[in-house]
């Protein structure tokens, strides 16, 4: 595996000027650029852009299994992300930072360590950590596995529930 020099660059909206954005993307491998585009579109809640990044037979799996999230296929992605990110955050309020990216050979899969920060619509702070495995096929995401900090997610949901009743 090859670790890329893509440490600590924040992915979120707004991103640097378009000229800088293109320059950054052009220096990345295709899977890394696709992950960048995915996280940027989720942050901006640009759902059409997000869906355009996935193959027709894609799968998104949120882990650990103890969370009980089923595997999402393309037809379910929009509802799942709108029901979480779209419900909890205003567009652009969730910022992602990719800490490390590892590429496999021949270069169709990456493993990325990232974190995100933001504040929900109800004022609850969000600071989560992720490990993504992204498999690319034909320039699109075929499979993405997202490991999240389940302890944080549980406390965030509890705080959101409490805030919604206040």
């Amino acid at each position: 595996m090859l670790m890329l020099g893509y440490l600590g660059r924040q992915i979120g909206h707004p991103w640097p000027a378009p000229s800088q954005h293109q320059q950054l993307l052009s220096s990345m491998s295709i899977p890394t650029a696709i992950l960048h585009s995915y996280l940027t579109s989720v942050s901006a809640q640009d759902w059409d852009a997000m869906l355009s990044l996935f193959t027709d037979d894609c799968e998104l799996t949120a882990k650990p299994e103890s969370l009980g999230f089923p595997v999402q296929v393309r037809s379910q992605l929009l509802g799942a992300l709108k029901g979480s990110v779209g419900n909890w955050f205003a567009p652009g309020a969730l910022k992602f930072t990719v800490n490390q990216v590892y590429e496999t050979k021949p270069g169709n899969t990456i493993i990325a360590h990232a974190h995100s920060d933001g504040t929900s619509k109800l004022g609850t702070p969000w600071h989560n950590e992720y490990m993504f495995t992204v498999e690319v096929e034909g320039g699109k995401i075929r499979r993405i596995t997202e490991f999240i900090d389940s302890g944080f997610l549980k406390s965030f949901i509890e705080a959101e529930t409490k805030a919604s009743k206040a």
Side-chain angles (χ1 to χ4, degrees):
M1 281 194 271
L2 168 71
M3 188 173 90
L4 300 178
Y6 183 61
L7 306 177
R9 293 205 174 138
Q10 191 176 61
I11 295 176
H13 187 74
W15 188 251
S19 61
Q20 293 173 330
H21 188 175
Q22 244 356 75
Q23 207 171 24
L24 179 61
L25 284 176
S26 67
S27 70
M28 296 178 189
S29 69
I30 290 171
T32 301
I34 290 171
L35 175 65
H36 169 273
S37 296
Y38 168 70
L39 295 176
T40 299
S41 63
V42 169
S43 175
Q45 298 182 32
D46 185 345
W47 307 120
D48 291 336
M50 183 208 64
L51 282 176
S52 74
L53 299 169
F54 288 89
T55 62
D56 291 339
D57 61 344
C58 68
E59 296 177 351
L60 185 145
T61 304
K63 299 275 187 176
E65 288 182 11
S66 62
L67 290 173
F69 295 139
V71 174
Q72 303 289 316
V73 296
R74 185 182 175 91
S75 62
Q76 300 166 316
L77 287 175
L78 192 56
L81 287 168
K82 277 185 173 180
S84 57
V85 174
N87 189 43
W88 292 330
F89 301 98
L94 185 62
K95 306 288 187 207
F96 291 90
T97 301
V98 175
N99 303 326
Q100 295 175 316
V101 175
Y102 297 90
E103 286 191 19
T104 62
K105 298 293 181 186
N108 64 335
T109 302
I110 61 166
I111 300 164
H113 174 230
H115 67 274
S116 62
D117 298 289
T119 303
S120 76
K121 293 174 184 175
L122 297 176
T124 307
W126 175 273
H127 306 288
N128 210 336
E129 186 174 18
Y130 312 83
M131 287 297 293
F132 292 101
T133 302
V134 181
E135 298 173 39
V136 173
E137 186 177 282
K140 293 189 175 201
I141 297 170
R142 165 64 184 97
R143 182 174 292 114
I144 185 166
T145 304
E146 174 183 334
F147 284 85
I148 61 174
D149 180 342
S150 56
F152 172 77
L153 181 62
K154 181 181 176 193
S155 66
F156 176 82
I157 290 171
E158 289 170 356
E160 283 287 283
T161 301
K162 185 178 178 181
S164 71
K165 293 177 181 176

